[in-house]
Amino acid sequence: MENPEGPKGKPSPPHISDATLRDSAHMAGVEFGPRDAARIAELLVRTGVSLVEVGMVSGPDSKDADLVLATHEAVTPERSMTLVVVRDRRQVAKALDEAERLGVRHIMYSIPTSEQHAKLKLGSPSAKFLHTTARSAISQAKERGFHVTFSGEDGARTPRERLVPYVTAGFEAGADRFRLAETVACLSPWQMEEVIADLTGIDGSEIEIHSHNMLGMAVANSLAAVRAGARWISATVGGIGERGGNAPLAELLTSLRVVHGDTRFDLTHLTELSRTALRGAGLGEAFQPGPTTPHAFAYELPGQLTHPEAYETLPAELLGNARELRVRTRLTPALLRWALDGSGTEVDVDAFTPWLVERQERNGAPLLDRDAVRKAAIDFQAA
């Protein structure tokens, strides 16, 4: 959907999609409970947010099922959207089965577009394979009646000659909206405007921007995207999210009010939203986004720990920071192998993993870092 005013005119007021209850699933050590999820969703809708993005599914028995159902109960499935991971046709079919079981109406496909991320997650950097995978996933979802947003994961680093044909192919397959993910923050606002203008120029396109805040420009880049014709902005309460956080909702909405005179949103809920989200996330009262915080280079996905160069704008060491594991119950053998590497502790990781998951759930899911995992491995040996 093109911006009728054009890139240089007054932009059309954007819709807001809030990803607090989804991007937090990627943020190391953050796990919301259903009660907090429902309250956050209610406040977001009262504020004027169009869609509440909650949880992700990649197959049956999603760990986020309780969050999704609680959010549906609070604000209805029509005001909710759930991320569906895309790897291959069979996996997508199982994920869509799970989404249908949970009553999901809106899905957002996570599809890696840069060569580096496509090779890492799809097993091939081929643009042809990428198009085939996306077309198949989109077609399957549309046949089942879902509203489909498809993403360009690591889209900001995807060259124009690779990105534009991919987005075009997605809309030709029947997708309703495209989300450009600035997975690795790397663009200035003026560069973002150029990238988005290429996408809004595609016939029939509706574009969303999802920026990370490692460079402190997530709000500026979001406004630049809207200036170039994007119709949606993805944000999170307090900027909660991985890799320096996301575009913070309060700063975004106040910027829209001050810069563009946009009075559509009820800002009176923002403080309660921030306090509820930060408390529920276990981040205290003053979570700060950016590259120098303890959370900036903390991960709970093994691929991010073993391939950090695929996710980091600058390496942690260059900023005097450190890469660390932070996790509660989302434990996998690969993650524990990374934590135990070099510790001198030898355990059967496939047996240790369910043992530690059970202990975490029994003890209230305390936050684990690498040292805590290593200590738990010693306890496991003694058990």
Side-chain angles (χ1 to χ4, degrees), residues 4-5 14 34 36 58 66 75 78 82 99 103 128 152 195 199 214 219-220 223 238 260 313 326 332 374:
E5 299 292 340
D36 283 326
S58 58
D66 288 345
V75 300
E78 285 68 30
T82 294
K128 182 178 180 181
V195 171
L199 304 180
M214 187 65 84
V219 169
L223 296 180
H260 293 296
T313 310
R326 291 178 186 271
T332 64
R374 292 178 174 184

Side-chain angles (χ1 to χ4, degrees), residues 13 47 253 256-258 260-267:
T47 300
L253 296 188
L256 287 172
R257 173 76 65 94
V258 173
H260 293 296
D262 189 343
T263 60
R264 294 173 299 149
F265 301 97
D266 183 353
L267 307 184

Side-chain angles (χ1 to χ4, degrees), residues 132-150:
T132 300
T133 301
R135 283 180 178 273
S136 173
I138 292 166
S139 296
Q140 287 185 71
K142 294 306 294 183
E143 287 170 2
R144 299 192 191 206
F146 288 103
H147 181 282
V148 179
T149 298
F150 71 112

